Amino acid sequence: MTLPVPVDVAELVVRMLRPLLAARPELEVAGAKVSTETGHGPQGGPPSLPWLLVAEDGHTWTWPAVERAVIRLTCWHRSEHTAKAVAGLALALLCDHHDAGVLITAEPVAGPVAGLDPHTDQPLATAAVAVYARTPTRR
């Protein structure tokens, strides 16, 4: 017997943000990649810019009912200003998105805060959001 496996909340956020950001007219998001991974090179930085990393910093587990996850959004871009703009836009889109299915609600936790990546020296910005979701299963 195969038991159902819940889809990771970070993956759900990626699936949601990809089309939402792609539909935006702002120049800062043009060509932005949204992923749960960065590059695998010596410094581990993103393979292209702009790059939005979606990572889970912690969650409460009440699956299959509702899961609360703190999601960190980190954007690498060509300047700190544009990185902060994309991270802020992603945060706003999650908090404003109304979906009767998976995402119940999202509340900002922190950010966006801009700086330089200490490993790649690339401009980046990070923000955090608490996401409440009905976690579907992967079979």
Side-chain angles (χ1 to χ4, degrees):
M1 178 172 130
T2 303
L3 295 175
V5 177
V7 174
D8 185 71
V9 176
E11 184 180 332
L12 295 174
V13 170
V14 166
R15 290 180 190 176
M16 188 171 304
L17 280 176
R18 280 180 179 153
L20 289 173
L21 285 173
R24 298 299 300 188
E26 291 86 356
L27 294 177
E28 294 87 357
V29 297
K33 304 292 186 227
V34 182
S35 180
T36 58
E37 295 184 7
T38 57
H40 300 289
Q43 278 75 35
S48 64
L49 296 177
W51 192 273
L52 183 67
L53 174 67
V54 176
E56 185 179 313
D57 283 340
H59 70 277
T60 58
W61 192 259
T62 56
W63 181 82
V66 174
E67 189 170 348
R68 178 189 182 272
V70 176
I71 300 293
R72 181 176 13 97
L73 304 167
T74 303
C75 180
W76 285 264
H77 214 302
R78 290 169 184 83
S79 74
E80 291 180 29
H81 174 76
T82 53
K84 190 173 181 178
V86 174
L89 179 59
L91 178 67
L93 289 170
L94 286 172
C95 292
D96 189 50
H97 190 71
H98 304 287
D99 183 348
V102 174
L103 181 69
I104 298 168
T105 188
E107 300 170 355
V109 173
V113 177
L116 291 176
D117 183 330
H119 302 289
T120 64
D121 289 328
Q122 293 292 321
L124 61 72
T126 193
V129 60
V131 173
Y132 296 81
R134 287 182 183 87
T135 311
T137 59
R138 178 186 349 246
R139 296 197 186 262

